[in-house]
Amino acid sequence: MIRWEDPPPQQRGGRRPSGFPAELVARDLREHPGRWALVDESPNRLNLASHIRGGMYPAFRPAGSFEAVTRTDGTLVRTYARFVGTAD
């Protein structure tokens, strides 16, 4: 089966992914410490997990207070994260 559609615009590296609700995600993860959650599913956000771990978004600071991993299946990039630090 094929689906006719135009590809999304190509994203360049070096920027935080747009459209990611960092504040809401970080708040929800803090409310459930230690519990993994699927926080994003898209075809092109390969660096989101490293941005979360490194505290690139202020909501995920200090760096290291969240764990995040990426899993791909060839078409989608799934980012999972959990809060492991202490709230400031």
Side-chain angles (χ1 to χ4, degrees):
M1 175 179 174
I2 61 171
R3 184 168 63 191
W4 300 101
E5 61 184 51
D6 293 334
Q10 185 175 6
Q11 290 190 334
R12 306 270 185 233
R15 298 181 320 195
R16 287 184 278 184
S18 61
F20 179 68
E23 292 79 17
L24 296 174
V25 171
R27 184 197 68 213
D28 288 348
L29 293 173
R30 286 178 195 275
E31 290 175 1
H32 302 277
R35 188 170 181 194
W36 285 101
L38 175 64
V39 298
D40 189 71
E41 186 174 54
S42 71
N44 57 4
R45 292 188 199 200
L46 290 170
N47 295 323
L48 182 58
S50 64
H51 292 173
I52 291 171
R53 286 190 308 269
M56 181 177 231
Y57 295 96
F60 291 102
R61 292 182 186 153
S65 60
F66 291 84
E67 291 181 340
V69 297
T70 299
R71 300 292 185 260
T72 60
D73 68 3
T75 58
L76 285 177
V77 177
R78 291 180 179 92
T79 302
Y80 298 84
R82 67 180 174 175
F83 177 67
V84 295
T86 57
D88 292 324

